[in-house]
mmCIF file of all heavy atoms in Angstrom:
data_model
loop_
_atom_site.group_PDB
_atom_site.id
_atom_site.type_symbol
_atom_site.label_atom_id
_atom_site.label_comp_id
_atom_site.label_asym_id
_atom_site.label_seq_id
_atom_site.Cartn_x
_atom_site.Cartn_y
_atom_site.Cartn_z
ATOM 1 N N SER A 108 -16.087 30.716 16.061
ATOM 2 C CA SER A 108 -16.997 29.754 16.700
ATOM 3 C C SER A 108 -16.374 28.373 16.828
ATOM 4 O O SER A 108 -16.670 27.633 17.759
ATOM 5 C CB SER A 108 -18.291 29.615 15.885
ATOM 6 O OG SER A 108 -18.977 30.832 15.846
ATOM 7 N N HIS A 111 -15.801 24.075 11.100
ATOM 8 C CA HIS A 111 -17.034 23.805 10.351
ATOM 9 C C HIS A 111 -16.711 22.952 9.134
ATOM 10 O O HIS A 111 -15.666 23.129 8.501
ATOM 11 C CB HIS A 111 -17.674 25.114 9.888
ATOM 12 C CG HIS A 111 -17.896 26.088 10.983
ATOM 13 N ND1 HIS A 111 -18.936 25.964 11.873
ATOM 14 C CD2 HIS A 111 -17.186 27.167 11.379
ATOM 15 C CE1 HIS A 111 -18.874 26.951 12.754
ATOM 16 N NE2 HIS A 111 -17.814 27.692 12.481
ATOM 17 N N TYR A 112 -17.622 22.067 8.824
ATOM 18 C CA TYR A 112 -17.475 21.274 7.617
ATOM 19 C C TYR A 112 -17.694 22.177 6.402
ATOM 20 O O TYR A 112 -18.716 22.847 6.304
ATOM 21 C CB TYR A 112 -18.483 20.126 7.609
ATOM 22 C CG TYR A 112 -18.395 19.245 6.392
ATOM 23 C CD1 TYR A 112 -17.176 18.755 5.961
ATOM 24 C CD2 TYR A 112 -19.537 18.909 5.673
ATOM 25 C CE1 TYR A 112 -17.090 17.942 4.833
ATOM 26 C CE2 TYR A 112 -19.466 18.087 4.556
ATOM 27 C CZ TYR A 112 -18.236 17.612 4.146
ATOM 28 O OH TYR A 112 -18.148 16.816 3.034
ATOM 29 N N ASP A 154 -8.364 3.732 20.841
ATOM 30 C CA ASP A 154 -9.659 3.069 21.044
ATOM 31 C C ASP A 154 -10.714 3.888 20.308
ATOM 32 O O ASP A 154 -11.519 4.580 20.918
ATOM 33 C CB ASP A 154 -9.985 2.949 22.536
ATOM 34 C CG ASP A 154 -11.267 2.180 22.765
ATOM 35 O OD1 ASP A 154 -11.753 1.514 21.835
ATOM 36 O OD2 ASP A 154 -11.807 2.260 23.886
ATOM 37 N N LEU A 158 -15.163 5.483 10.181
ATOM 38 C CA LEU A 158 -16.250 5.173 9.255
ATOM 39 C C LEU A 158 -15.706 4.983 7.839
ATOM 40 O O LEU A 158 -14.812 5.704 7.422
ATOM 41 C CB LEU A 158 -17.269 6.304 9.239
ATOM 42 C CG LEU A 158 -18.170 6.534 10.454
ATOM 43 C CD1 LEU A 158 -18.729 5.215 10.989
ATOM 44 C CD2 LEU A 158 -17.506 7.298 11.548
ATOM 45 N N ARG A 181 -11.461 0.491 15.116
ATOM 46 C CA ARG A 181 -12.532 -0.384 14.640
ATOM 47 C C ARG A 181 -13.237 0.290 13.462
ATOM 48 O O ARG A 181 -13.821 1.365 13.625
ATOM 49 C CB ARG A 181 -13.537 -0.648 15.752
ATOM 50 C CG ARG A 181 -14.708 -1.526 15.294
ATOM 51 C CD ARG A 181 -15.653 -1.836 16.439
ATOM 52 N NE ARG A 181 -16.348 -0.646 16.910
ATOM 53 C CZ ARG A 181 -17.414 -0.677 17.717
ATOM 54 N NH1 ARG A 181 -17.877 -1.836 18.152
ATOM 55 N NH2 ARG A 181 -17.984 0.445 18.113
ATOM 56 N N LEU A 183 -16.199 0.894 10.883
ATOM 57 C CA LEU A 183 -17.640 0.662 10.725
ATOM 58 C C LEU A 183 -18.046 1.160 9.341
ATOM 59 O O LEU A 183 -17.488 2.136 8.837
ATOM 60 C CB LEU A 183 -18.423 1.415 11.796
ATOM 61 C CG LEU A 183 -18.217 0.927 13.226
ATOM 62 C CD1 LEU A 183 -18.928 1.860 14.210
ATOM 63 C CD2 LEU A 183 -18.741 -0.499 13.389
ATOM 64 N N ARG A 184 -18.986 0.484 8.751
ATOM 65 C CA ARG A 184 -19.457 0.863 7.423
ATOM 66 C C ARG A 184 -20.545 1.917 7.538
ATOM 67 O O ARG A 184 -21.418 1.817 8.401
ATOM 68 C CB ARG A 184 -20.004 -0.371 6.705
ATOM 69 C CG ARG A 184 -18.935 -1.403 6.406
ATOM 70 C CD ARG A 184 -19.528 -2.779 6.161
ATOM 71 N NE ARG A 184 -18.515 -3.812 6.319
ATOM 72 C CZ ARG A 184 -17.799 -4.301 5.306
ATOM 73 N NH1 ARG A 184 -18.007 -3.880 4.081
ATOM 74 N NH2 ARG A 184 -16.871 -5.214 5.529
ATOM 75 N N GLY A 186 -22.057 2.999 4.460
ATOM 76 C CA GLY A 186 -22.806 2.969 3.211
ATOM 77 C C GLY A 186 -22.033 3.510 2.028
ATOM 78 O O GLY A 186 -20.802 3.569 2.045
ATOM 79 N N PRO A 187 -22.754 3.885 0.987
ATOM 80 C CA PRO A 187 -22.114 4.347 -0.256
ATOM 81 C C PRO A 187 -21.440 5.714 -0.106
ATOM 82 O O PRO A 187 -21.613 6.402 0.903
ATOM 83 C CB PRO A 187 -23.271 4.430 -1.256
ATOM 84 C CG PRO A 187 -24.515 4.078 -0.549
ATOM 85 C CD PRO A 187 -24.215 3.837 0.885
ATOM 86 N N ALA A 189 -22.194 8.374 -1.362
ATOM 87 C CA ALA A 189 -23.175 9.454 -1.184
ATOM 88 C C ALA A 189 -23.378 9.806 0.289
ATOM 89 O O ALA A 189 -23.945 10.854 0.602
ATOM 90 C CB ALA A 189 -24.516 9.062 -1.812
ATOM 91 N N ASN A 190 -22.924 8.944 1.189
ATOM 92 C CA ASN A 190 -23.048 9.220 2.630
ATOM 93 C C ASN A 190 -21.775 9.827 3.214
ATOM 94 O O ASN A 190 -21.642 9.927 4.446
ATOM 95 C CB ASN A 190 -23.383 7.938 3.392
ATOM 96 C CG ASN A 190 -24.728 7.351 2.983
ATOM 97 O OD1 ASN A 190 -25.490 7.994 2.261
ATOM 98 N ND2 ASN A 190 -25.015 6.136 3.419
ATOM 99 N N GLU A 193 -21.666 13.239 5.817
ATOM 100 C CA GLU A 193 -21.920 13.102 7.257
ATOM 101 C C GLU A 193 -20.707 12.506 7.969
ATOM 102 O O GLU A 193 -20.441 12.819 9.127
ATOM 103 C CB GLU A 193 -23.164 12.245 7.505
ATOM 104 C CG GLU A 193 -24.481 12.938 7.193
ATOM 105 C CD GLU A 193 -24.752 13.075 5.703
ATOM 106 O OE1 GLU A 193 -24.169 12.311 4.902
ATOM 107 O OE2 GLU A 193 -25.535 13.970 5.325
ATOM 108 N N LEU A 201 -15.510 16.751 16.255
ATOM 109 C CA LEU A 201 -14.515 16.295 17.228
ATOM 110 C C LEU A 201 -13.623 17.447 17.672
ATOM 111 O O LEU A 201 -13.278 17.563 18.856
ATOM 112 C CB LEU A 201 -13.662 15.171 16.626
ATOM 113 C CG LEU A 201 -14.382 13.827 16.451
ATOM 114 C CD1 LEU A 201 -13.588 12.899 15.532
ATOM 115 C CD2 LEU A 201 -14.595 13.156 17.803
ATOM 116 N N ASN A 203 -14.454 20.601 17.766
ATOM 117 C CA ASN A 203 -15.238 21.482 18.639
ATOM 118 C C ASN A 203 -15.429 20.874 20.027
ATOM 119 O O ASN A 203 -15.382 21.586 21.036
ATOM 120 C CB ASN A 203 -16.593 21.797 17.987
ATOM 121 C CG ASN A 203 -16.439 22.624 16.722
ATOM 122 O OD1 ASN A 203 -15.442 23.330 16.543
ATOM 123 N ND2 ASN A 203 -17.402 22.517 15.816
ATOM 124 N N VAL A 204 -15.644 19.572 20.077
ATOM 125 C CA VAL A 204 -15.769 18.896 21.377
ATOM 126 C C VAL A 204 -14.446 18.994 22.141
ATOM 127 O O VAL A 204 -14.431 19.259 23.354
ATOM 128 C CB VAL A 204 -16.200 17.422 21.188
ATOM 129 C CG1 VAL A 204 -16.032 16.632 22.486
ATOM 130 C CG2 VAL A 204 -17.654 17.352 20.718
ATOM 131 N N HIS A 207 -14.136 22.526 23.658
ATOM 132 C CA HIS A 207 -15.108 23.029 24.641
ATOM 133 C C HIS A 207 -15.291 22.131 25.853
ATOM 134 O O HIS A 207 -16.171 22.388 26.676
ATOM 135 C CB HIS A 207 -16.444 23.290 23.956
ATOM 136 C CG HIS A 207 -16.404 24.453 23.008
ATOM 137 N ND1 HIS A 207 -16.427 25.760 23.437
ATOM 138 C CD2 HIS A 207 -16.286 24.497 21.662
ATOM 139 C CE1 HIS A 207 -16.351 26.573 22.400
ATOM 140 N NE2 HIS A 207 -16.270 25.830 21.302
ATOM 141 N N ASN A 208 -14.510 21.050 25.967
ATOM 142 C CA ASN A 208 -14.623 20.162 27.124
ATOM 143 C C ASN A 208 -13.229 19.807 27.632
ATOM 144 O O ASN A 208 -12.344 19.490 26.831
ATOM 145 C CB ASN A 208 -15.364 18.870 26.737
ATOM 146 C CG ASN A 208 -16.762 19.147 26.221
ATOM 147 O OD1 ASN A 208 -17.703 19.232 26.994
ATOM 148 N ND2 ASN A 208 -16.889 19.305 24.898
ATOM 149 N N PHE A 211 -10.679 16.388 26.571
ATOM 150 C CA PHE A 211 -11.081 15.774 25.299
ATOM 151 C C PHE A 211 -10.158 16.157 24.140
ATOM 152 O O PHE A 211 -10.530 16.042 22.982
ATOM 153 C CB PHE A 211 -12.534 16.132 24.969
ATOM 154 C CG PHE A 211 -13.512 15.357 25.790
ATOM 155 C CD1 PHE A 211 -13.783 15.731 27.094
ATOM 156 C CD2 PHE A 211 -14.123 14.230 25.289
ATOM 157 C CE1 PHE A 211 -14.671 15.005 27.872
ATOM 158 C CE2 PHE A 211 -15.007 13.498 26.048
ATOM 159 C CZ PHE A 211 -15.282 13.885 27.343
ATOM 160 N N THR A 214 -9.705 13.925 20.831
ATOM 161 C CA THR A 214 -10.753 12.944 21.092
ATOM 162 C C THR A 214 -11.117 12.147 19.834
ATOM 163 O O THR A 214 -10.989 12.632 18.713
ATOM 164 C CB THR A 214 -12.013 13.638 21.669
ATOM 165 O OG1 THR A 214 -12.956 12.643 22.052
ATOM 166 C CG2 THR A 214 -12.668 14.549 20.650
ATOM 167 N N GLY A 215 -11.531 10.940 20.051
ATOM 168 C CA GLY A 215 -12.083 10.103 18.995
ATOM 169 C C GLY A 215 -13.502 9.722 19.369
ATOM 170 O O GLY A 215 -14.052 10.229 20.355
ATOM 171 N N VAL A 216 -14.071 8.829 18.593
ATOM 172 C CA VAL A 216 -15.473 8.528 18.795
ATOM 173 C C VAL A 216 -15.685 7.014 18.709
ATOM 174 O O VAL A 216 -14.963 6.318 17.983
ATOM 175 C CB VAL A 216 -16.301 9.297 17.736
ATOM 176 C CG1 VAL A 216 -16.223 8.645 16.378
ATOM 177 C CG2 VAL A 216 -17.713 9.506 18.162
ATOM 178 N N THR A 217 -16.625 6.510 19.509
ATOM 179 C CA THR A 217 -17.042 5.116 19.351
ATOM 180 C C THR A 217 -18.565 5.053 19.294
ATOM 181 O O THR A 217 -19.258 5.815 19.965
ATOM 182 C CB THR A 217 -16.546 4.214 20.513
ATOM 183 O OG1 THR A 217 -16.928 4.805 21.754
ATOM 184 C CG2 THR A 217 -15.043 4.049 20.504
ATOM 185 N N PHE A 218 -19.026 4.129 18.482
ATOM 186 C CA PHE A 218 -20.468 3.918 18.310
ATOM 187 C C PHE A 218 -20.846 2.672 19.102
ATOM 188 O O PHE A 218 -20.119 1.681 19.088
ATOM 189 C CB PHE A 218 -20.792 3.732 16.833
ATOM 190 C CG PHE A 218 -20.533 4.964 16.007
ATOM 191 C CD1 PHE A 218 -19.238 5.315 15.640
ATOM 192 C CD2 PHE A 218 -21.577 5.793 15.627
ATOM 193 C CE1 PHE A 218 -18.989 6.467 14.904
ATOM 194 C CE2 PHE A 218 -21.337 6.937 14.899
ATOM 195 C CZ PHE A 218 -20.043 7.270 14.532
ATOM 196 N N GLU A 219 -21.986 2.719 19.752
ATOM 197 C CA GLU A 219 -22.393 1.533 20.506
ATOM 198 C C GLU A 219 -23.897 1.521 20.694
ATOM 199 O O GLU A 219 -24.554 2.521 20.591
ATOM 200 C CB GLU A 219 -21.706 1.494 21.868
ATOM 201 C CG GLU A 219 -21.884 2.730 22.712
ATOM 202 C CD GLU A 219 -20.899 2.731 23.873
ATOM 203 O OE1 GLU A 219 -20.899 1.770 24.641
ATOM 204 O OE2 GLU A 219 -20.110 3.676 23.986
ATOM 205 N N SER B 108 -29.367 5.623 -0.778
ATOM 206 C CA SER B 108 -28.039 5.533 -0.157
ATOM 207 C C SER B 108 -28.121 5.517 1.365
ATOM 208 O O SER B 108 -27.301 4.891 2.031
ATOM 209 C CB SER B 108 -27.165 6.714 -0.574
ATOM 210 O OG SER B 108 -26.945 6.706 -1.952
ATOM 211 N N HIS B 111 -29.380 11.561 5.009
ATOM 212 C CA HIS B 111 -28.489 12.692 4.753
ATOM 213 C C HIS B 111 -28.947 13.901 5.549
ATOM 214 O O HIS B 111 -30.148 14.128 5.714
ATOM 215 C CB HIS B 111 -28.500 13.051 3.264
ATOM 216 C CG HIS B 111 -28.201 11.890 2.382
ATOM 217 N ND1 HIS B 111 -26.919 11.419 2.202
ATOM 218 C CD2 HIS B 111 -29.009 11.069 1.683
ATOM 219 C CE1 HIS B 111 -26.960 10.372 1.394
ATOM 220 N NE2 HIS B 111 -28.212 10.131 1.069
ATOM 221 N N TYR B 112 -27.980 14.662 6.001
ATOM 222 C CA TYR B 112 -28.307 15.908 6.675
ATOM 223 C C TYR B 112 -28.838 16.901 5.657
ATOM 224 O O TYR B 112 -28.193 17.153 4.638
ATOM 225 C CB TYR B 112 -27.063 16.464 7.369
ATOM 226 C CG TYR B 112 -27.311 17.765 8.108
ATOM 227 C CD1 TYR B 112 -28.392 17.889 8.975
ATOM 228 C CD2 TYR B 112 -26.470 18.854 7.940
ATOM 229 C CE1 TYR B 112 -28.628 19.076 9.656
ATOM 230 C CE2 TYR B 112 -26.684 20.049 8.626
ATOM 231 C CZ TYR B 112 -27.770 20.144 9.476
ATOM 232 O OH TYR B 112 -27.999 21.326 10.144
ATOM 233 N N LEU B 158 -24.527 16.188 22.398
ATOM 234 C CA LEU B 158 -23.810 17.447 22.213
ATOM 235 C C LEU B 158 -24.735 18.622 22.454
ATOM 236 O O LEU B 158 -25.902 18.572 22.081
ATOM 237 C CB LEU B 158 -23.271 17.536 20.786
ATOM 238 C CG LEU B 158 -22.095 16.648 20.353
ATOM 239 C CD1 LEU B 158 -21.012 16.602 21.418
ATOM 240 C CD2 LEU B 158 -22.525 15.273 19.992
ATOM 241 N N ARG B 181 -24.423 11.522 28.811
ATOM 242 C CA ARG B 181 -23.392 12.487 29.190
ATOM 243 C C ARG B 181 -23.405 13.652 28.204
ATOM 244 O O ARG B 181 -23.150 13.458 27.016
ATOM 245 C CB ARG B 181 -22.013 11.822 29.168
ATOM 246 C CG ARG B 181 -20.891 12.797 29.549
ATOM 247 C CD ARG B 181 -19.532 12.119 29.572
ATOM 248 N NE ARG B 181 -19.119 11.637 28.269
ATOM 249 C CZ ARG B 181 -17.880 11.239 27.971
ATOM 250 N NH1 ARG B 181 -16.956 11.234 28.909
ATOM 251 N NH2 ARG B 181 -17.580 10.811 26.767
ATOM 252 N N LEU B 183 -21.945 16.840 26.335
ATOM 253 C CA LEU B 183 -20.674 17.480 26.010
ATOM 254 C C LEU B 183 -20.981 18.780 25.279
ATOM 255 O O LEU B 183 -21.944 18.868 24.516
ATOM 256 C CB LEU B 183 -19.825 16.571 25.120
ATOM 257 C CG LEU B 183 -19.317 15.296 25.778
ATOM 258 C CD1 LEU B 183 -18.630 14.402 24.743
ATOM 259 C CD2 LEU B 183 -18.334 15.621 26.902
ATOM 260 N N ARG B 184 -20.150 19.762 25.499
ATOM 261 C CA ARG B 184 -20.355 21.057 24.862
ATOM 262 C C ARG B 184 -19.681 21.077 23.490
ATOM 263 O O ARG B 184 -18.566 20.566 23.342
ATOM 264 C CB ARG B 184 -19.751 22.162 25.730
ATOM 265 C CG ARG B 184 -20.471 22.310 27.054
ATOM 266 C CD ARG B 184 -19.614 23.033 28.082
ATOM 267 N NE ARG B 184 -20.119 22.792 29.432
ATOM 268 C CZ ARG B 184 -20.967 23.600 30.056
ATOM 269 N NH1 ARG B 184 -21.365 24.712 29.483
ATOM 270 N NH2 ARG B 184 -21.397 23.306 31.258
ATOM 271 N N GLY B 186 -19.780 24.154 21.658
ATOM 272 C CA GLY B 186 -19.572 25.551 21.297
ATOM 273 C C GLY B 186 -20.861 26.293 20.970
ATOM 274 O O GLY B 186 -21.949 25.878 21.372
ATOM 275 N N PRO B 187 -20.729 27.404 20.251
ATOM 276 C CA PRO B 187 -21.890 28.251 19.955
ATOM 277 C C PRO B 187 -22.854 27.618 18.945
ATOM 278 O O PRO B 187 -22.554 26.591 18.326
ATOM 279 C CB PRO B 187 -21.272 29.522 19.374
ATOM 280 C CG PRO B 187 -19.816 29.324 19.317
ATOM 281 C CD PRO B 187 -19.468 27.962 19.789
ATOM 282 N N ALA B 189 -23.468 28.438 16.090
ATOM 283 C CA ALA B 189 -22.881 28.344 14.743
ATOM 284 C C ALA B 189 -22.267 26.973 14.480
ATOM 285 O O ALA B 189 -21.985 26.627 13.329
ATOM 286 C CB ALA B 189 -21.814 29.437 14.566
ATOM 287 N N ASN B 190 -22.066 26.188 15.531
ATOM 288 C CA ASN B 190 -21.516 24.832 15.360
ATOM 289 C C ASN B 190 -22.611 23.760 15.326
ATOM 290 O O ASN B 190 -22.307 22.564 15.387
ATOM 291 C CB ASN B 190 -20.542 24.508 16.505
ATOM 292 C CG ASN B 190 -19.326 25.424 16.519
ATOM 293 O OD1 ASN B 190 -19.105 26.185 15.580
ATOM 294 N ND2 ASN B 190 -18.546 25.368 17.582
ATOM 295 N N GLU B 193 -22.798 20.579 12.440
ATOM 296 C CA GLU B 193 -22.006 19.348 12.597
ATOM 297 C C GLU B 193 -22.631 18.441 13.670
ATOM 298 O O GLU B 193 -22.539 17.220 13.568
ATOM 299 C CB GLU B 193 -20.556 19.677 12.965
ATOM 300 C CG GLU B 193 -19.739 20.251 11.815
ATOM 301 C CD GLU B 193 -20.081 21.679 11.445
ATOM 302 O OE1 GLU B 193 -20.654 22.400 12.305
ATOM 303 O OE2 GLU B 193 -19.816 22.090 10.300
ATOM 304 N N LEU B 201 -25.481 8.255 12.389
ATOM 305 C CA LEU B 201 -25.859 7.142 13.269
ATOM 306 C C LEU B 201 -26.840 6.209 12.563
ATOM 307 O O LEU B 201 -26.756 4.986 12.686
ATOM 308 C CB LEU B 201 -26.471 7.687 14.566
ATOM 309 C CG LEU B 201 -25.491 8.355 15.527
ATOM 310 C CD1 LEU B 201 -26.231 9.158 16.584
ATOM 311 C CD2 LEU B 201 -24.593 7.312 16.190
ATOM 312 N N ASN B 203 -27.057 5.715 9.343
ATOM 313 C CA ASN B 203 -26.319 4.956 8.316
ATOM 314 C C ASN B 203 -25.457 3.856 8.938
ATOM 315 O O ASN B 203 -25.357 2.752 8.393
ATOM 316 C CB ASN B 203 -25.461 5.907 7.472
ATOM 317 C CG ASN B 203 -26.319 6.868 6.655
ATOM 318 O OD1 ASN B 203 -27.470 6.572 6.344
ATOM 319 N ND2 ASN B 203 -25.765 8.027 6.319
ATOM 320 N N VAL B 204 -24.847 4.156 10.070
ATOM 321 C CA VAL B 204 -24.053 3.130 10.766
ATOM 322 C C VAL B 204 -24.965 1.991 11.229
ATOM 323 O O VAL B 204 -24.624 0.809 11.103
ATOM 324 C CB VAL B 204 -23.287 3.757 11.963
ATOM 325 C CG1 VAL B 204 -22.717 2.675 12.878
ATOM 326 C CG2 VAL B 204 -22.169 4.656 11.451
ATOM 327 N N HIS B 207 -25.785 -0.276 8.218
ATOM 328 C CA HIS B 207 -24.730 -0.985 7.491
ATOM 329 C C HIS B 207 -23.838 -1.860 8.365
ATOM 330 O O HIS B 207 -22.844 -2.404 7.876
ATOM 331 C CB HIS B 207 -23.878 0.006 6.694
ATOM 332 C CG HIS B 207 -24.619 0.626 5.558
ATOM 333 N ND1 HIS B 207 -24.842 -0.040 4.375
ATOM 334 C CD2 HIS B 207 -25.222 1.821 5.431
ATOM 335 C CE1 HIS B 207 -25.542 0.728 3.557
ATOM 336 N NE2 HIS B 207 -25.792 1.862 4.177
ATOM 337 N N ASN B 208 -24.165 -1.965 9.662
ATOM 338 C CA ASN B 208 -23.375 -2.815 10.547
ATOM 339 C C ASN B 208 -24.295 -3.640 11.425
ATOM 340 O O ASN B 208 -25.255 -3.110 11.982
ATOM 341 C CB ASN B 208 -22.455 -1.958 11.443
ATOM 342 C CG ASN B 208 -21.509 -1.093 10.637
ATOM 343 O OD1 ASN B 208 -20.416 -1.524 10.278
ATOM 344 N ND2 ASN B 208 -21.924 0.138 10.337
ATOM 345 N N PHE B 211 -25.852 -2.719 15.432
ATOM 346 C CA PHE B 211 -25.762 -1.288 15.731
ATOM 347 C C PHE B 211 -27.108 -0.579 15.613
ATOM 348 O O PHE B 211 -27.178 0.634 15.468
ATOM 349 C CB PHE B 211 -24.713 -0.605 14.848
ATOM 350 C CG PHE B 211 -23.321 -0.896 15.292
ATOM 351 C CD1 PHE B 211 -22.717 -2.098 14.956
ATOM 352 C CD2 PHE B 211 -22.625 -0.002 16.064
ATOM 353 C CE1 PHE B 211 -21.428 -2.384 15.379
ATOM 354 C CE2 PHE B 211 -21.345 -0.284 16.494
ATOM 355 C CZ PHE B 211 -20.747 -1.473 16.152
ATOM 356 N N THR B 214 -28.023 2.825 17.537
ATOM 357 C CA THR B 214 -26.700 3.122 18.098
ATOM 358 C C THR B 214 -26.604 4.563 18.581
ATOM 359 O O THR B 214 -27.269 5.459 18.059
ATOM 360 C CB THR B 214 -25.605 2.820 17.053
ATOM 361 O OG1 THR B 214 -24.328 2.973 17.666
ATOM 362 C CG2 THR B 214 -25.683 3.757 15.855
ATOM 363 N N GLY B 215 -25.783 4.750 19.578
ATOM 364 C CA GLY B 215 -25.431 6.078 20.045
ATOM 365 C C GLY B 215 -23.932 6.262 19.916
ATOM 366 O O GLY B 215 -23.243 5.409 19.330
ATOM 367 N N VAL B 216 -23.436 7.334 20.460
ATOM 368 C CA VAL B 216 -22.030 7.646 20.254
ATOM 369 C C VAL B 216 -21.420 8.116 21.559
ATOM 370 O O VAL B 216 -22.094 8.708 22.396
ATOM 371 C CB VAL B 216 -21.929 8.730 19.139
ATOM 372 C CG1 VAL B 216 -22.302 10.093 19.663
ATOM 373 C CG2 VAL B 216 -20.586 8.728 18.479
ATOM 374 N N THR B 217 -20.141 7.772 21.758
ATOM 375 C CA THR B 217 -19.412 8.350 22.885
ATOM 376 C C THR B 217 -18.071 8.889 22.391
ATOM 377 O O THR B 217 -17.457 8.330 21.482
ATOM 378 C CB THR B 217 -19.134 7.310 24.007
ATOM 379 O OG1 THR B 217 -18.542 6.148 23.425
ATOM 380 C CG2 THR B 217 -20.409 6.901 24.707
ATOM 381 N N PHE B 218 -17.670 9.971 22.997
ATOM 382 C CA PHE B 218 -16.406 10.621 22.641
ATOM 383 C C PHE B 218 -15.385 10.289 23.729
ATOM 384 O O PHE B 218 -15.728 10.282 24.910
ATOM 385 C CB PHE B 218 -16.601 12.137 22.579
ATOM 386 C CG PHE B 218 -17.508 12.559 21.452
ATOM 387 C CD1 PHE B 218 -18.891 12.428 21.564
ATOM 388 C CD2 PHE B 218 -16.993 13.065 20.271
ATOM 389 C CE1 PHE B 218 -19.730 12.791 20.517
ATOM 390 C CE2 PHE B 218 -17.817 13.428 19.227
ATOM 391 C CZ PHE B 218 -19.191 13.302 19.351
ATOM 392 N N GLU B 219 -14.181 10.008 23.329
ATOM 393 C CA GLU B 219 -13.160 9.685 24.352
ATOM 394 C C GLU B 219 -11.771 9.960 23.822
ATOM 395 O O GLU B 219 -11.578 10.064 22.636
ATOM 396 C CB GLU B 219 -13.266 8.228 24.778
ATOM 397 C CG GLU B 219 -13.223 7.237 23.644
ATOM 398 C CD GLU B 219 -13.668 5.848 24.136
ATOM 399 O OE1 GLU B 219 -13.097 5.369 25.102
ATOM 400 O OE2 GLU B 219 -14.605 5.314 23.552
#
Side-chain angles (χ1 to χ4, degrees):
Chain A
S108 297
H111 307 283
Y112 180 48
D154 184 15
L158 289 316
R181 178 177 67 166
L183 293 174
R184 294 160 199 266
N190 297 350
E193 286 74 22
L201 288 165
N203 294 336
V204 167
H207 291 283
N208 300 273
F211 284 79
T214 186
V216 76
T217 52
F218 294 77
E219 54 194 304
Chain B
S108 297
H111 306 282
Y112 180 49
L158 288 317
R181 180 178 64 167
L183 293 173
R184 294 160 198 266
N190 297 350
E193 287 73 22
L201 288 166
N203 294 335
V204 167
H207 291 282
N208 301 272
F211 284 80
T214 186
V216 76
T217 51
F218 293 78
E219 54 193 306

